[in-house]
């Protein structure tokens, strides 16, 4: 059995006539249940987790650093709300004749945090969304073997229609020889759900093709140089831009200089 509570804490926006709208929204969500975890209490700001109350350590855990010094929240306030919610849960269990809620399976996707470059550190994200109740087991796999180092996870976060979502992270170095998997177990599934991910294949040009392309480029470059030289040497003087009357005089002078000596009148 579970007792969820999602409430609107504040709407921050300018006042005025017309439809109600806000620039920023702050909400809080809490739930208690007979399973594990037994409950959670958290605040969100514009859809991002602002902080949550660690019910075991009885302390506030901040996830948006910009609010740490601007605000303060006494974790005992959240714990007091959880105590009240647990009492209400016991009452509801008795009145409902211990009827269990319907299990809703998660939707699971796996994707990298940054664009993938082989050999460059990255983070894989496994996102489980729209499931109920908030009971989930996630295992990271590398080449079919469980991975326990470099993993992290969020708490259960609110999703649509009073369902939940959760993020799991794995730091890794992409390699063409490795493949990864996110195995999810939930009461709404018939069995473990496995989502695989592997680095996309990089298309490389064969060396022979690279050699041919380079050779063709060199041949075309030389052909262009030779053709340009021939055109310049065969052009008539008057066809040269900016050369008209002076070039005609030059042509006549060259013809006169070519006459044989003594060819004048006797």
């Amino acid at each position: 059995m579970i007792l969820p509570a999602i409430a609107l804490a504040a709407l921050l926006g300018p006042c005025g006539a017309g439809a109600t709208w806000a620039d920023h929204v702050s909400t809080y969500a809490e739930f208690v249940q007979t399973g594990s975890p037994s409950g959670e209490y958290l605040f969100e700001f514009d859809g991002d987790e602002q902080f949550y109350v660690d019910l075991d350590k009885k302390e506030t855990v901040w996830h948006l650093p910009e609010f740490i010094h601007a605000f303060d929240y006494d974790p005992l306030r959240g714990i007091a709300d959880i105590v009240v919610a647990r009492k209400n849960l016991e009452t509801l269990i008795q009145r409902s004749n211990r009827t269990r809620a319907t299990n809703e399976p998660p939707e699971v996707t796996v994707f990298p945090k940054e664009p993938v470059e082989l050999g460059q550190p990255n983070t894989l994200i496994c996102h489980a969304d729209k499931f109920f109740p908030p009971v989930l087991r996630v295992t990271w796999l590398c080449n079919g073997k469980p991975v326990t180092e470099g993993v992290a996870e969020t708490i259960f976060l609110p999703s649509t229609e009073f369902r939940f979502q959760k993020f799991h992270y794995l730091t890794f170095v992409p390699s063409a020889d490795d493949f990864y998997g996110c195995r999810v177990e939930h009461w709404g599934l018939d069995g473990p759900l496995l989502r695989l991910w592997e680095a996309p294949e990089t298309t490389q040009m064969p060396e022979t093709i690279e050699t041919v392309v380079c050779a063709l480029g060199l041949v075309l470059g030389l052909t262009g140089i030779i053709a340009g030289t021939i055109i310049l040497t065969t052009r008539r003087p008057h066809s040269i831009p900016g050369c008209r009357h002076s070039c005609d005089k030059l042509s006549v002078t060259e013809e006169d200089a070519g006459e044989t000596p003594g060819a004048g009148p006797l």
Side-chain angles (χ1 to χ4, degrees):
M1 297 291 292
I2 179 173
L3 178 63
I6 301 178
L8 181 64
L11 284 173
L12 307 178
C15 299
T20 301
W21 61 280
D23 290 333
H24 304 285
V25 179
S26 177
T27 60
Y28 85 91
E30 65 175 282
F31 72 85
V32 292
Q33 62 182 359
T34 54
S36 179
S38 61
E40 284 185 357
Y41 189 91
L42 67 96
F43 271 74
E44 290 185 338
F45 184 76
D46 287 349
D48 294 326
E49 181 187 346
Q50 186 176 3
F51 68 86
Y52 73 93
V53 175
D54 190 319
L55 303 178
D56 296 326
K57 297 181 180 180
K58 297 181 180 181
E59 64 182 18
T60 302
V61 180
W62 292 86
H63 277 235
L64 292 180
E66 57 267 30
F67 291 99
I68 294 179
H69 301 292
F71 300 97
D72 187 21
Y73 188 84
D74 186 356
L76 296 180
R77 293 175 54 187
I79 294 175
D81 289 344
I82 290 294
V83 171
V84 174
R86 285 174 178 167
K87 292 181 179 179
N88 294 336
L89 177 62
E90 294 175 0
T91 302
L92 291 175
I93 290 176
Q94 295 175 1
R95 292 182 179 180
S96 65
N97 196 23
R98 298 186 179 274
T99 302
R100 291 184 174 273
T102 304
N103 297 326
E104 298 290 344
E107 299 177 1
V108 181
T109 54
V110 178
F111 53 93
K113 181 179 179 180
E114 304 291 345
V116 177
E117 294 184 19
L118 299 183
Q120 297 299 319
N122 207 325
T123 301
L124 270 183
I125 301 175
C126 182
H127 180 213
D129 192 18
K130 299 179 181 177
F131 60 89
F132 185 89
V135 178
L136 197 71
R137 177 181 295 177
V138 173
T139 304
W140 282 106
L141 303 174
C142 178
N143 299 328
K145 298 180 180 179
V147 179
T148 57
E149 295 184 358
V151 299
E153 63 186 74
T154 65
I155 61 175
F156 291 99
L157 303 172
S159 185
T160 59
E161 300 178 356
F162 292 99
R163 298 178 183 179
F164 294 86
Q165 61 177 324
K166 195 174 184 182
F167 295 87
H168 286 255
Y169 306 95
L170 172 65
T171 57
F172 76 116
V173 178
S175 171
D177 300 327
D178 297 330
F179 66 93
Y180 296 85
C182 177
R183 185 173 63 198
V184 178
E185 299 175 67
H186 185 265
W187 294 348
L189 297 170
D190 296 332
L193 176 62
L194 181 62
R195 287 284 186 265
L196 297 177
W197 183 92
E198 58 183 341
E201 295 183 0
T202 56
T203 305
Q204 296 183 348
M205 186 180 296
E207 294 183 359
T208 54
I209 297 180
E210 292 181 354
T211 303
V212 171
V213 170
C214 292
L216 289 176
L218 180 60
V219 171
L220 290 175
L222 293 175
T223 302
I225 294 174
I226 295 173
T229 303
I230 295 175
I231 292 174
L232 289 175
T233 56
T234 56
R235 294 181 69 177
R236 302 179 64 85
H238 60 76
S239 64
I240 300 176
C243 180
R244 295 188 178 168
H245 299 292
S246 59
C247 292
D248 293 338
K249 293 179 180 179
L250 176 63
S251 177
V252 171
T253 303
E254 290 178 347
E255 291 177 358
D256 293 342
E259 294 179 357
T260 56
L266 295 176

